[in-house]
């Protein structure tokens, strides 16, 4: 690995954990977020606060209007329903999101002579998103390496971890409080309700997954 990594950083639980993982693995870390019309855009405000606390440079790229076909970008849709174009996927699935994010991130990284990219994609607890599978990450890694004629490495430290194991990693990295209190997961953007697992309400799949993972990690004694 090189000295510097670029982290795909939304301000959510997984990307926040990955940000601090990257700080352990690389001498220098930069972070990149995306404004894409997401219903929970408050996550970017949290991302800025977390990046400042971590002393990591953070840039947000506005691609509003590029990604559609999701309850996250079309705010009148039911967040808990199946996806209207594929009932096997949740309504929160954003078609092509990780492909777009990673392609832009790798292009941005190339101009800064960075070849290590870190993302919070998770195959074991991936909410049914096909673009969170390692087989997809590997394919894009190969494609972008060919496109740039330079080896690109996409690191996914949470790929095979459950949400409970992700909480454990945050604890092991010494940043459990930061991940719990500062990161944002709730798809409806709620930060009015504080729970033991952080801010949000149990009225959307993201908060439910986060809460269940926390309770499991706590029950197993992983959180100290």
């Amino acid at each position: 690995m090189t000295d510097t990594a670029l982290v795909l950083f939304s301000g959510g639980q997984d990307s926040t954990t990955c940000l601090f993982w990257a700080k352990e693995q690389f001498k220098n870390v930069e972070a990149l977020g995306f404004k894409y019309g997401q219903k929970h855009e408050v996550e970017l405000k949290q991302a800025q606060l977390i990046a400042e606390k971590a002393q990591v440079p953070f840039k947000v790229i506005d691609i509003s209007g590029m990604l559609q076909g999701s309850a996250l970008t079309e705010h009148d849709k039911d967040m808990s329903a199946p996806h209207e174009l594929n009932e096997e996927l949740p309504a929160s699935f954003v078609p092509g999101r990780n492909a777009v994010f990673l392609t832009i991130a790798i292009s941005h990284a190339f101009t800064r002579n960075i070849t290590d990219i870190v993302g919070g994609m998770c195959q074991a607890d991936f909410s049914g998103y096909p673009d969170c599978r390692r087989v997809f990450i590997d394919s894009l890694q190969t494609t972008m390496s060919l496109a740039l004629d330079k080896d690109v490495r996409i690191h996914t430290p949470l790929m095979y971890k459950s949400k409970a194991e992700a909480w454990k990693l945050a604890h092991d990295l010494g940043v459990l409080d930061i991940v719990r209190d500062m990161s944002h997961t709730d798809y409806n953007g709620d930060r009015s309700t504080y729970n033991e697992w952080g801010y949000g309400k149990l009225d959307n799949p993201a908060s439910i997954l986060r809460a269940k993972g926390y309770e499991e990690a706590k029950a197993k004694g992983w959180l100290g």
Side-chain angles (χ1 to χ4, degrees), residues 34-206:
F34 294 93
K35 179 180 179 181
Y36 60 97
Q38 62 266 49
K39 188 174 185 178
H40 58 320
E41 193 174 308
V42 66
E43 66 176 0
L44 293 178
K45 295 180 180 178
Q46 295 307 118
Q48 183 63 55
L49 295 172
I50 296 166
E52 290 172 1
K53 191 172 187 66
Q55 297 183 311
V56 169
F58 178 52
K59 177 180 176 66
V60 175
I61 294 179
D62 190 341
I63 57 170
S64 299
M66 181 180 295
L67 297 173
Q68 300 178 17
S70 169
L72 280 182
T73 56
E74 294 159 32
H75 304 173
D76 59 329
K77 293 182 177 179
D78 182 0
M79 193 69 69
S80 299
H83 197 279
E84 60 189 6
L85 299 179
N86 185 342
E87 291 188 355
E88 295 183 1
L89 298 175
S92 56
F93 174 64
V94 184
R97 178 174 59 176
N98 281 341
V100 171
F101 285 3
L102 283 166
T103 300
I104 294 174
I106 292 168
S107 176
H108 174 76
F110 180 84
T111 66
R112 303 181 61 74
N113 199 32
I114 299 172
T115 54
D116 286 284
I117 312 297
V118 179
M121 300 82 178
C122 176
Q123 182 168 296
D125 234 351
F126 73 131
S127 300
Y129 298 166
D131 59 352
C132 285
R133 296 174 295 175
R134 187 65 219 188
V135 64
F136 162 71
I137 300 299
D138 287 340
S139 70
L140 190 65
Q141 178 175 276
T142 299
T143 296
M144 292 306 294
S145 294
L146 290 170
L148 298 175
D149 195 24
K150 192 171 187 176
D151 285 339
V152 172
R153 291 171 293 275
I154 303 175
H155 306 272
T156 52
L158 302 182
M159 180 57 68
Y160 303 111
K161 294 185 182 298
S162 68
K163 192 61 70 177
E165 290 169 331
W167 279 112
K168 181 180 184 297
L169 179 58
H171 174 269
D172 293 346
L173 290 168
V175 294
L176 178 62
D177 290 351
I178 294 174
V179 173
R180 182 185 60 213
D181 298 340
M182 297 184 71
S183 73
H184 184 86
T185 298
D186 188 289
Y187 279 157
N188 290 318
D190 182 86
R191 290 193 68 78
S192 65
T193 305
Y194 182 74
N195 311 275
E196 189 175 2
W197 46 267
Y199 286 92
K201 294 181 179 179
L202 296 177
D203 60 358
N204 63 95

Side-chain angles (χ1 to χ4, degrees), residues 202-217:
L202 296 177
D203 60 358
N204 63 95
S207 287
I208 292 171
L209 188 63
R210 174 174 173 140
K212 286 183 176 179
Y214 187 90
E215 291 302 323
E216 181 184 342

Side-chain angles (χ1 to χ4, degrees), residues 7 9 15-24 27-31 46-58 175 178 182:
V7 179
F9 189 46
S15 68
T16 300
T17 303
C18 288
L19 181 75
F20 286 96
W21 176 87
K23 283 176 63 67
E24 292 282 326
K27 182 178 180 181
N28 305 301
V29 174
E30 299 181 16
Q46 295 307 118
Q48 183 63 55
L49 295 172
I50 296 166
E52 290 172 1
K53 191 172 187 66
Q55 297 183 311
V56 169
F58 178 52
V175 294
I178 294 174
M182 297 184 71

